[in-house]
């Protein structure tokens, strides 16, 4: 009755218009002969497979051949992967560099420290009780607490037991001395049970009254047993190796990025990203007219408040999918199963795929319909608003030639500190747009942009979301730290009490040896380390949710945010909290009670932490619990859209993966000076993670987006901070009471000098994308989009064209009718996105077999209204004609970025420069371009 009353109620004018708009642009569904929607698991799997990463062959033109699509080999070189995703190639290349670093540190630093520790190992559970009577008689007997210390501790820095402030009396030989009036017993063997060490907890009043004072054996404190200066000097060696490796790593990453950029042709090679236009009403032609002073402009895409409409459309699409699923459930008479509350699958399906609406309750379904109608009306009102497509202040300007884009970037290049210093900190004035100072930067790729996040995520709202996000992270980290602190405290208390009770029972009461004590304590240490790993995984999920809440403008910004936040969280959980929780009092009245090198203490726990970190995260990731749940829910789907959503592959998060790498390296660097086995564990973890990640990304995950090179820069900064932190930890922590405890100052000075002075710049470790060859071979963007080039030549099957980044896959509609197995379905289904693509490109469907570069346009939901599609096409379609270059120089424009010589096509520039005799004054990059243009080659016959 509620549903009938709703259907009879009149709609508002906005809702009527919105409903009419949807009717004019309906979403196609597959139907069988009975009118029910057909759902095919084969079709869903086929669509999921097409989202993965594939390798293509290229024909003689350099165009990808769709029929050659095949999975990458697991042994595929990183450069080949980088052609499809630059970030992916650099990520896997990072593993090799990290592995080399760990091996070098183990050979140069770890082997020496470990060999010294094994050679001078003095760890023992024995202690000598020395009874001295007033008459001067001395009776001494050797006693034993527990079994032999573990092999892990024997390879650690504390194996010498020569520092009374760091040594633990639980596993270092000691002398326990007491002065008495008369001898306690005539038997020397009874002294072990008569005089117990005063440091033991749980002593009775009688035992505490006659306990002995414990100190390290005098032989351990001799100068001959002192730790060599070379061991302490390892902190300087480690810092030097890190600085050299960091420079080499940064250089190699930039070289790889340049090679990948040259081999992979993308629209980003032709475009620039403009900021600072402010909220405006400029037309695309006005913006193109300004940038035409640098060369021909092929397209201008401006960020608008359309993102708000697109976000609403996405929410609306999700609600409509839920409603469609509910209707199909009701039609198939499956709603009665909701009474089986014990079925977890049904409960999860209801919460995630039906919008928490019970199909058995008409009230809930009616409310969902009302929400959909309200959302449709809101979208339509937003489209009718004059400010609906207002420009927000950013623009992607695509030039017709890469050289013209580089001219623009060069003219608006922001001076670095050393460039400003050489010019007495006087900034060069740049051309302004309508009196506004603008910034021009290398652009993100189209797949890197979150168009729907530009609207609204500004100023106050962006700062507010950042504040809420950071507060949530701090709160979550605080709760996790509290849980770990409680666990660590309970573990240490149990360990101390267990050891002391066992020692007292064995020595004083003659108890039997408990061989299970060591096993129980080591299992406890392993469980405590496992808790840290699980807390890291939980916090990772929280931070990923906050990153989604922040709504970054690009995926690169999101991944860099994840990398930095997760790295800090991992460092706090894996290093700061365990070290702070590990008791190590260094006062004179509490010597011998440091638990760093005690059985089950900090160092032994660090071993198990790194051991689990090497395998457990990848094991849990491979289990894919979320994917298993979705596969179970997929069995309940009644619509193809819901089934597709549940079968879609996982995304590959670079930020999360890089943070895990940084955690592995940081654990090895921080614990390596006192536990050299850390380097070996790090290499093992890198090996496992490399092959696990490579398998998942090439066989199971979505095709990664093409991200900017910011991840490398962010990683280098994080590694520099880790290097400084490990130096401070060695100097103020592990080696603080060493004989040469001032060596860390020299290491910090070395690190600071490398960071402050322009050493990287002098070594050429920098990347200037304005001077890079994007691999276009002077081919115009217009030509690579299937249009006529600068000379009127149109691309044909025999024309030359570099390998594009986008190929229309005919398999997108390949035999879907056969997969559906519906006899009434005679022709292939066409999606709205394909229609939008045709209109934005201005081509017909039969021209989609040509390879093309992508364009800067927002993603459009399949169920978007006709009005939304029309407005989007009007704002983002490719120009009908190239906007011609303007040879006049603007105010403050550099001479070598404009004018007739620099705005002409590269093939024409050489003739103009020769005629004006300025070739010898041109930068080297233009000379190379001119030389290449003057010499016809097989790869560039148009020169």
């Amino acid at each position: 009755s509620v549903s009938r009353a709703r259907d009879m109620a009149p709609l508002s004018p906005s809702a009527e218009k919105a409903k009419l708009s949807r009717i004019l642009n309906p979403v196609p569904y597959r139907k069988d002969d009975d009118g029910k929607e057909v759902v095919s698991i084969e079709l869903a799997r086929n669509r999921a497979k097409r989202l993965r990463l594939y390798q293509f062959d290229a024909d003689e033109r350099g165009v990808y051949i769709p029929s050659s699509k095949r999975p990458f080999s697991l042994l595929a070189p990183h450069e080949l992967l980088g052609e499809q995703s630059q970030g992916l190639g650099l990520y896997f290349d990072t593993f090799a560099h990290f592995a080399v670093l760990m091996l070098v540190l183990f050979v140069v630093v770890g082997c020496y420290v470990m060999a010294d520790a094994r050679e001078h190992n003095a760890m023992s559970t024995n202690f000598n009780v020395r009874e001295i009577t007033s008459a001067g008689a001395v009776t001494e007997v050797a006693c034993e607490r527990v079994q032999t210390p573990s092999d892990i501790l024997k390879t650690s820095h504390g194996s010498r037991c020569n520092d009374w402030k760091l040594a633990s009396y639980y596993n270092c030989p000691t002398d326990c001395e007491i002065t008495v009036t008369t001898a306690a017993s005539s038997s020397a063997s009874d002294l072990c049970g008569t005089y117990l060490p005063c440091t033991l907890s749980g002593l009775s009043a009688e035992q505490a009254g006659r306990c002995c004072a414990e100190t390290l054996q005098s032989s351990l404190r001799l100068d001959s047993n002192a730790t060599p200066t070379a061991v302490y000097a390892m902190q300087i060696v480690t810092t030097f190796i890190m600085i050299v490796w960091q420079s080499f790593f940064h250089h190699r990453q930039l070289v790889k990025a340049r090679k990948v950029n040259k081999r992979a042709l993308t629209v980003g090679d032709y475009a620039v990203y403009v900021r600072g236009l402010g909220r405006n009403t400029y037309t695309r032609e006005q913006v193109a007219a300004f940038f035409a002073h640098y060369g021909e402009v092929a397209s201008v895409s401006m960020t608008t408040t359309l993102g708000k409409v697109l976000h609403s459309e996405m929410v609306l699409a999700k609600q409509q999918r839920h409603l469609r699923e509910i209707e199909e459930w009701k039609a198939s008479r499956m709603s009665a199963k909701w009474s089986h509350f014990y079925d977890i699958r049904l409960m999860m399906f209801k919460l995630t795929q039906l919008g928490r609406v019970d199909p058995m309750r008409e009230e809930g379904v009616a409310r969902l319909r009302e929400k959909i109608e309200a959302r449709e009306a809101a979208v339509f009102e937003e489209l009718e608003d004059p400010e609906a497509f207002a420009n927000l202040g950013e623009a992607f300007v695509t030039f017709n030639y890469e050289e013209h884009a580089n001219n623009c970037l060069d003219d608006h290049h922001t001076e670095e500190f050393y460039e400003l210093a050489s010019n007495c900190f006087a900034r060069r004035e740049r051309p302004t747009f309508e009196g506004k100072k603008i910034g021009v930067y290398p652009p993100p790729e189209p797949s890197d942009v979150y168009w729907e996040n530009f609207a609204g995520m500004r100023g106050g709202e962006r700062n507010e979301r950042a504040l809420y996000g950071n507060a949530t992270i701090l709160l979550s980290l605080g709760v996790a730290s509290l849980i770990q602190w409680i666990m660590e405290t309970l573990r240490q208390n149990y360990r101390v009490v267990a050891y002391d009770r066992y020692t007292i029972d064995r020595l004083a009461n003659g108890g039997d040896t408990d061989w299970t004590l060591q096993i129980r304590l080591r299992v406890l240490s392993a469980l405590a380390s496992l808790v840290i790993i699980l807390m890291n995984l939980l916090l990772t999920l929280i931070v990923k949710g906050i990153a989604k809440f922040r709504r970054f403008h690009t995926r690169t910004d999101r991944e860099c945010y994840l990398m930095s936040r997760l790295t800090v969280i991992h460092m706090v959980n894996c290093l700061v909290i365990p070290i702070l929780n590990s008791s190590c009092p260094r006062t004179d009245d509490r010597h011998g009670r440091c638990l760093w090198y005690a059985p089950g203490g900090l160092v032994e726990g660090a071993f198990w932490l790194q051991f689990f970190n090497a395998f457990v995260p990848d094991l849990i990731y491979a289990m894919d619990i979320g994917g298993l749940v979705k596969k179970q829910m997929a069995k309940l789907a009644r619509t193809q859209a819901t089934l597709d959503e549940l079968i879609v592959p996982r995304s590959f998060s670079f930020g999360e993966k890089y943070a895990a790498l940084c955690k592995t390296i940081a654990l090895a660097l921080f614990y390596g000076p006192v536990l050299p086995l850390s380097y070996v564990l790090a290499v093992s973890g890198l090996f496992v993670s490399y092959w696990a990640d490579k398998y998942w990304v090439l066989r199971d995950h979505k095709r990664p987006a093409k991200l900017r090179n910011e991840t490398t820069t962010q990683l280098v900064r994080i590694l520099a901070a880790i290097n400084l932190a490990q130096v401070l930890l060695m100097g103020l922590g592990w080696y603080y009471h060493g004989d040469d405890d001032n060596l860390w100052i020299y290491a910090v000075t070395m690190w600071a000098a490398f960071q402050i002075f322009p050493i990287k710049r002098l070594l050429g470790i920098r990347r200037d994308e304005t001077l890079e060859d994007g691999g276009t071979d002077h081919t115009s963007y217009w030509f690579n989009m299937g249009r006529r080039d600068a000379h009127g030549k149109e691309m044909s099957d025999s024309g030359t064209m570099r390998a594009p980044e986008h190929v229309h896959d005919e398999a997108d509609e390949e035999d879907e009718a056969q997969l559906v197995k519906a006899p009434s379905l005679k022709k292939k289904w066409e999606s709205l996105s394909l229609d939008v693509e045709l209109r934005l490109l201005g081509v017909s469907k039969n021209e989609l077999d040509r390879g093309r570069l992508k364009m800067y346009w927002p993603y459009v939901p399949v169920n978007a209204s006709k009005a939304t599609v029309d407005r989007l096409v009007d704002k983002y379609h490719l120009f009908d004609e190239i906007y011609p270059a303007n040879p006049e120089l603007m105010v403050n424009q550099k001479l070598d970025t404009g004018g007739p010589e620099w705005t002409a096509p590269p093939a024409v520039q050489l003739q103009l420069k020769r005629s004006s005799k300025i070739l010898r004054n041109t930068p080297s990059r233009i000379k190379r371009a001119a030389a290449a243009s003057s010499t016809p080659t097989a790869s560039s016959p148009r020169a």
Side-chain angles (χ1 to χ4, degrees), residues 779-792:
T779 307
S780 68
Y781 177 78
W782 209 248
F783 186 80
N784 277 338
M785 293 301 290
R787 302 293 187 90
R788 296 179 181 274
D789 64 8
H791 303 285

mmCIF file of all heavy atoms in Angstrom, residues 779-792:
data_model
loop_
_atom_site.group_PDB
_atom_site.id
_atom_site.type_symbol
_atom_site.label_atom_id
_atom_site.label_comp_id
_atom_site.label_asym_id
_atom_site.label_seq_id
_atom_site.Cartn_x
_atom_site.Cartn_y
_atom_site.Cartn_z
ATOM 1 N N THR A 779 56.166 14.099 -33.463
ATOM 2 C CA THR A 779 54.857 13.816 -34.035
ATOM 3 C C THR A 779 53.815 14.639 -33.298
ATOM 4 O O THR A 779 53.854 14.769 -32.078
ATOM 5 C CB THR A 779 54.514 12.319 -33.890
ATOM 6 O OG1 THR A 779 55.582 11.553 -34.440
ATOM 7 C CG2 THR A 779 53.221 11.981 -34.621
ATOM 8 N N SER A 780 52.880 15.184 -34.030
ATOM 9 C CA SER A 780 51.877 16.053 -33.414
ATOM 10 C C SER A 780 50.829 15.234 -32.667
ATOM 11 O O SER A 780 50.553 14.075 -32.995
ATOM 12 C CB SER A 780 51.191 16.908 -34.486
ATOM 13 O OG SER A 780 50.403 16.083 -35.337
ATOM 14 N N TYR A 781 50.256 15.841 -31.656
ATOM 15 C CA TYR A 781 49.157 15.224 -30.911
ATOM 16 C C TYR A 781 47.957 15.023 -31.824
ATOM 17 O O TYR A 781 47.247 14.012 -31.733
ATOM 18 C CB TYR A 781 48.801 16.107 -29.721
ATOM 19 C CG TYR A 781 47.617 15.612 -28.909
ATOM 20 C CD1 TYR A 781 47.763 14.569 -28.008
ATOM 21 C CD2 TYR A 781 46.364 16.204 -29.042
ATOM 22 C CE1 TYR A 781 46.696 14.108 -27.263
ATOM 23 C CE2 TYR A 781 45.281 15.752 -28.306
ATOM 24 C CZ TYR A 781 45.448 14.707 -27.414
ATOM 25 O OH TYR A 781 44.382 14.265 -26.678
ATOM 26 N N TRP A 782 47.737 15.980 -32.704
ATOM 27 C CA TRP A 782 46.606 15.897 -33.638
ATOM 28 C C TRP A 782 46.725 14.649 -34.519
ATOM 29 O O TRP A 782 45.749 13.946 -34.759
ATOM 30 C CB TRP A 782 46.586 17.161 -34.494
ATOM 31 C CG TRP A 782 45.237 17.579 -34.972
ATOM 32 C CD1 TRP A 782 44.781 17.568 -36.262
ATOM 33 C CD2 TRP A 782 44.160 18.091 -34.193
ATOM 34 N NE1 TRP A 782 43.501 18.037 -36.324
ATOM 35 C CE2 TRP A 782 43.090 18.379 -35.059
ATOM 36 C CE3 TRP A 782 44.006 18.342 -32.827
ATOM 37 C CZ2 TRP A 782 41.889 18.886 -34.622
ATOM 38 C CZ3 TRP A 782 42.808 18.853 -32.386
ATOM 39 C CH2 TRP A 782 41.761 19.125 -33.277
ATOM 40 N N PHE A 783 47.929 14.397 -34.969
ATOM 41 C CA PHE A 783 48.168 13.225 -35.800
ATOM 42 C C PHE A 783 47.945 11.942 -35.013
ATOM 43 O O PHE A 783 47.385 10.965 -35.525
ATOM 44 C CB PHE A 783 49.593 13.291 -36.345
ATOM 45 C CG PHE A 783 49.929 12.208 -37.326
ATOM 46 C CD1 PHE A 783 49.538 12.298 -38.650
ATOM 47 C CD2 PHE A 783 50.646 11.086 -36.920
ATOM 48 C CE1 PHE A 783 49.853 11.292 -39.552
ATOM 49 C CE2 PHE A 783 50.952 10.075 -37.824
ATOM 50 C CZ PHE A 783 50.559 10.192 -39.143
ATOM 51 N N ASN A 784 48.380 11.927 -33.748
ATOM 52 C CA ASN A 784 48.220 10.742 -32.912
ATOM 53 C C ASN A 784 46.787 10.555 -32.422
ATOM 54 O O ASN A 784 46.492 9.546 -31.786
ATOM 55 C CB ASN A 784 49.146 10.824 -31.697
ATOM 56 C CG ASN A 784 50.549 10.353 -32.018
ATOM 57 O OD1 ASN A 784 50.763 9.619 -32.973
ATOM 58 N ND2 ASN A 784 51.513 10.790 -31.227
ATOM 59 N N MET A 785 45.931 11.516 -32.694
ATOM 60 C CA MET A 785 44.515 11.365 -32.372
ATOM 61 C C MET A 785 43.694 11.023 -33.616
ATOM 62 O O MET A 785 42.462 11.049 -33.580
ATOM 63 C CB MET A 785 43.972 12.650 -31.739
ATOM 64 C CG MET A 785 44.547 12.959 -30.373
ATOM 65 S SD MET A 785 44.253 11.657 -29.164
ATOM 66 C CE MET A 785 42.485 11.838 -28.925
ATOM 67 N N GLY A 786 44.377 10.708 -34.726
ATOM 68 C CA GLY A 786 43.673 10.326 -35.938
ATOM 69 C C GLY A 786 43.215 11.501 -36.773
ATOM 70 O O GLY A 786 42.405 11.327 -37.696
ATOM 71 N N ARG A 787 43.711 12.703 -36.478
ATOM 72 C CA ARG A 787 43.363 13.894 -37.259
ATOM 73 C C ARG A 787 44.493 14.223 -38.221
ATOM 74 O O ARG A 787 45.498 13.526 -38.314
ATOM 75 C CB ARG A 787 43.106 15.077 -36.315
ATOM 76 C CG ARG A 787 42.010 14.832 -35.303
ATOM 77 C CD ARG A 787 40.646 14.716 -35.947
ATOM 78 N NE ARG A 787 39.579 14.645 -34.962
ATOM 79 C CZ ARG A 787 38.945 15.702 -34.458
ATOM 80 N NH1 ARG A 787 39.299 16.916 -34.839
ATOM 81 N NH2 ARG A 787 37.987 15.543 -33.572
ATOM 82 N N ARG A 788 44.316 15.330 -38.920
ATOM 83 C CA ARG A 788 45.351 15.769 -39.859
ATOM 84 C C ARG A 788 46.486 16.433 -39.095
ATOM 85 O O ARG A 788 46.268 17.117 -38.105
ATOM 86 C CB ARG A 788 44.762 16.761 -40.867
ATOM 87 C CG ARG A 788 43.696 16.139 -41.762
ATOM 88 C CD ARG A 788 43.127 17.177 -42.715
ATOM 89 N NE ARG A 788 42.090 16.600 -43.553
ATOM 90 C CZ ARG A 788 42.317 15.967 -44.692
ATOM 91 N NH1 ARG A 788 43.555 15.846 -45.124
ATOM 92 N NH2 ARG A 788 41.328 15.461 -45.393
ATOM 93 N N ASP A 789 47.708 16.231 -39.598
ATOM 94 C CA ASP A 789 48.845 16.856 -38.947
ATOM 95 C C ASP A 789 49.011 18.286 -39.434
ATOM 96 O O ASP A 789 48.163 18.835 -40.152
ATOM 97 C CB ASP A 789 50.124 16.033 -39.181
ATOM 98 C CG ASP A 789 50.524 15.972 -40.642
ATOM 99 O OD1 ASP A 789 49.905 16.678 -41.454
ATOM 100 O OD2 ASP A 789 51.463 15.212 -40.949
ATOM 101 N N ALA A 790 50.118 18.887 -39.065
ATOM 102 C CA ALA A 790 50.326 20.297 -39.377
ATOM 103 C C ALA A 790 50.389 20.569 -40.872
ATOM 104 O O ALA A 790 50.133 21.687 -41.324
ATOM 105 C CB ALA A 790 51.617 20.789 -38.716
ATOM 106 N N HIS A 791 50.707 19.546 -41.665
ATOM 107 C CA HIS A 791 50.820 19.730 -43.097
ATOM 108 C C HIS A 791 49.594 19.218 -43.842
ATOM 109 O O HIS A 791 49.623 19.068 -45.056
ATOM 110 C CB HIS A 791 52.075 19.007 -43.612
ATOM 111 C CG HIS A 791 53.325 19.464 -42.929
ATOM 112 N ND1 HIS A 791 53.936 20.672 -43.181
ATOM 113 C CD2 HIS A 791 54.071 18.877 -41.949
ATOM 114 C CE1 HIS A 791 55.010 20.796 -42.430
ATOM 115 N NE2 HIS A 791 55.112 19.720 -41.668
ATOM 116 N N GLY A 792 48.541 18.932 -43.119
ATOM 117 C CA GLY A 792 47.308 18.497 -43.751
ATOM 118 C C GLY A 792 47.251 17.019 -44.024
ATOM 119 O O GLY A 792 46.260 16.519 -44.548
#
